[in-house]
Amino acid sequence: AWVHGDPRKVIYPTDSYGQFCGQKDTLNENKTILFYFNILKCASPVVLINLQCPTTQLCVSKCPDRFATYIDVQASYRYKPDQWNYFRQFCKPGFNNPRKSVAQVLRDEDCPSMIIPSRPFLKRCFPDFSTKNGVLTVANQTTFKDGRGKTRNVTDLREAANGINNVLDARSVGMKIFEDYAISWYWILIGLFIAMIVSLLFLVLLRFTAGVLFWIFIFGVIGIIGYGIWHCYWEYDHLKGIPGSDLTVYDIGFQTDFRVYLQLRQTWLAFMIILCVVEVIIILMLIFLRNRIRVAIALLKEGSRAIGYIMSTLFYPVVTFILIAICISYWAVTAVFLATSGEPVYKVMANQTMCKYANLTCDPETFNTTNVTKLCPGAQCTFAFYGGESLYHKYIFIFQLANAFVFLWLVNFAIALGQCTLAGAFASYYWASRKPADIPLWPLFSSFGRAIR
């Protein structure tokens, strides 16, 4: 995988010719964003992310910031050359022939039929959706020209890029969260340090407070469930006489809004019965398992006493964390190299559903010399995905399974190594006749060495 893989396939988006956008020392070095000639042809965001959209994809330096159509720009290029100079940066590289007929340009997809205000997301140009007075707009407009003689509604763009607006909103929330972390990171570190100190004191003092804390926890759980029972009864009684509250769950059927069920008396009655059953089970367990509870409290006290003599065991989980982090990193890097070790595969993308060559593999260098474009007007040989026909490429999925198995084995080995090391360290405490005189000097390191050996 490390020989054949190329992580750039994950980092950089790929255009219709299999070239990376934004890769250094290439013609696309300053073109880091992927632009779709006709985003209306894209059925869903999944299609866009998987680069399977049946339209030309081009690397650009920035997304368009205005509405424009090729027909309008071509008609006015003599009088307004600036408009053509702006529009042609979204055409195929080297194309500068506004005199070419519109039909031929759209057939060969030399230029997009239209451009719409967009903004980059995941290094791809998506429509700049916004909501104004509850109406979906793009650049404060609700309609646009599609460059083929029709006026379309921006909801068509929303349907073509379904869910993109929600993703963009999620990104803005994510940016706010990141900004909060950037501003308050030192307070977070201080809080973590205080939590660590309090946790260490808690473990050391557990030998004196184990019984009290255990019973506080048990009675706290019983009290919380008891409050839940009372609250459910209050809601059940409060809904009495309210129209519609006596309906059953069967009557209203399945509802995606869970709050609908909270308006039914039957719902609160069911919650109250469930909580009562749980409360009775916990009380019965406390009655019949009281001897085992005493043993558990004694074990907590003894465990706290052992930790007090071998304080280094508190920090060994850091070693386990580092080992697991190494295992995860190795698996992730190897998985990326495996996933990106294929060769670029090109397929025929046709607008006509009856084209018999659709989805067949093709060679972009010789595609224009074939009869496919004549039999299927508008068909293109575009980049589809990375794969291959060699023996190695056929078994990449098996290699991914083997890599996952190695990951699981190594992670569980690291966890078991930690368990065995800590068990050995505490065994040296347990078997010491005189504590702490007979406890070895470095019990944790000795146990770690034994576990490794």
Side-chain angles (χ1 to χ4, degrees):
W2 290 27
V3 171
H4 295 279
D6 189 356
R8 295 176 302 174
K9 299 171 184 176
V10 176
I11 300 173
Y12 303 105
T14 310
D15 62 12
S16 295
Y17 311 101
Q19 300 173 347
F20 299 122
C21 298
Q23 184 185 358
K24 293 183 178 180
D25 301 326
T26 65
L27 296 176
N28 292 331
E29 180 176 0
N30 297 323
K31 301 177 179 179
T32 60
I33 308 172
L34 194 66
F35 170 73
Y36 297 90
F37 266 36
N38 188 356
I39 199 172
L40 292 172
K41 294 182 180 179
C42 305
S44 68
V46 176
V47 173
L48 298 179
I49 295 172
N50 291 335
L51 304 178
Q52 297 289 341
C53 188
T55 185
T56 300
Q57 300 154 26
L58 192 70
C59 296
V60 295
S61 57
K62 61 180 180 179
C63 296
D65 58 5
R66 66 191 71 171
F67 285 104
T69 64
Y70 180 80
I71 297 176
D72 295 338
V73 172
Q74 185 193 50
S76 62
Y77 82 94
R78 293 181 180 178
Y79 313 103
K80 300 178 181 179
D82 293 340
Q83 291 187 1
W84 168 249
N85 291 332
Y86 178 83
F87 192 91
R88 74 184 183 93
Q89 64 180 327
F90 303 104
C91 300
K92 290 182 178 179
F95 181 80
N96 190 16
N97 184 16
R99 296 182 179 86
K100 188 175 181 179
S101 67
V102 175
Q104 291 178 337
V105 169
L106 298 182
R107 181 198 63 191
D108 300 336
E109 291 207 353
D110 295 319
C111 289
S113 62
M114 63 172 180
I115 58 174
I116 57 177
S118 307
R119 56 177 169 176
F121 176 63
L122 295 176
K123 295 185 178 181
R124 292 164 175 82
C125 291
F126 288 124
D128 189 6
F129 291 115
S130 61
T131 304
K132 186 176 182 180
N133 296 328
V135 179
L136 185 68
T137 64
V138 174
N140 294 326
Q141 294 190 25
T142 58
T143 59
F144 66 97
K145 296 180 180 179
D146 66 354
R148 299 176 184 270
K150 294 182 179 180
T151 300
R152 309 283 291 267
N153 195 291
V154 295
T155 54
D156 295 336
L157 293 173
R158 179 65 178 272
E159 293 175 0
N162 185 26
I164 294 300
N165 196 33
N166 294 332
V167 175
L168 294 175
D169 292 340
R171 184 191 66 160
S172 62
V173 173
M175 288 298 296
K176 292 178 181 178
I177 295 174
F178 177 78
E179 291 171 357
D180 289 342
Y181 276 117
I183 295 173
S184 59
W185 62 270
Y186 53 91
W187 286 109
I188 296 174
L189 292 180
I190 293 173
L192 290 174
F193 178 77
I194 295 174
M196 183 183 70
I197 298 299
V198 173
S199 300
L200 293 177
L201 292 175
F202 173 78
L203 288 173
V204 172
L205 298 176
L206 191 61
R207 73 184 76 173
F208 308 109
T209 59
V212 176
L213 291 176
F214 182 85
W215 287 113
I216 288 176
F217 173 77
I218 290 297
F219 286 112
V221 171
I222 293 175
I224 291 173
I225 296 177
Y227 171 78
I229 295 173
W230 175 84
H231 182 76
C232 290
Y233 174 77
W234 184 86
E235 291 284 355
Y236 175 79
D237 185 68
H238 179 70
L239 290 174
K240 184 177 180 179
I242 296 179
S245 62
D246 291 327
L247 295 174
T248 64
V249 176
Y250 179 80
D251 293 332
I252 65 174
F254 176 77
Q255 301 290 333
T256 56
D257 190 353
F258 185 75
R259 292 173 296 182
V260 175
Y261 299 104
L262 299 181
Q263 306 299 322
L264 305 178
R265 299 186 72 202
Q266 187 186 63
T267 303
W268 293 105
L269 179 63
F271 286 162
M272 184 172 62
I273 294 174
I274 294 173
L275 290 178
C276 288
V277 172
V278 173
E279 186 87 327
V280 172
I281 291 175
I282 293 178
I283 293 175
L284 291 176
M285 288 178 61
L286 290 175
I287 294 173
F288 291 102
L289 299 179
R290 57 187 181 277
N291 291 329
R292 294 197 177 188
I293 291 174
R294 295 193 188 100
V295 174
I297 293 174
L299 287 174
L300 285 174
K301 293 179 179 179
E302 193 64 24
S304 175
R305 188 176 293 109
I307 291 175
Y309 287 120
I310 313 175
M311 293 292 293
S312 57
T313 56
L314 293 174
F315 302 96
Y316 182 82
V318 176
V319 177
T320 302
F321 171 81
I322 293 174
L323 292 177
I324 292 177
I326 293 173
C327 296
I328 294 175
S329 300
Y330 174 81
W331 164 77
V333 172
T334 306
V336 169
F337 272 84
L338 273 172
T340 59
S341 58
E343 300 295 331
V345 176
Y346 300 87
K347 288 193 174 184
V348 177
M349 294 293 182
N351 298 328
Q352 299 178 359
T353 57
M354 301 301 295
C355 178
K356 64 179 181 179
Y357 296 101
N359 295 325
L360 295 181
T361 56
C362 57
D363 185 354
E365 296 182 357
T366 61
F367 180 74
N368 292 330
T369 61
T370 63
N371 294 327
V372 177
T373 54
K374 297 180 181 178
L375 298 176
C376 303
Q380 295 187 21
C381 182
T382 60
F383 170 80
F385 56 86
Y386 290 99
E389 300 296 332
S390 67
L391 186 65
Y392 168 75
H393 293 113
K394 290 181 179 179
Y395 286 95
I396 284 182
F397 179 72
I398 303 299
F399 295 152
Q400 288 282 23
L401 293 180
N403 186 38
F405 173 79
V406 171
F407 163 71
L408 294 174
W409 195 94
L410 289 176
V411 167
N412 282 276
F413 177 83
I415 295 173
L417 176 64
Q419 294 172 342
C420 189
T421 300
L422 292 175
F426 289 120
S428 64
Y429 162 84
Y430 178 82
W431 293 107
S433 300
R434 296 173 300 164
K435 300 176 178 61
D438 293 341
I439 299 177
L441 183 61
W442 302 104
L444 184 67
F445 291 105
S446 301
S447 177
F448 183 78
R450 287 194 303 269
I452 290 294
R453 186 171 69 250

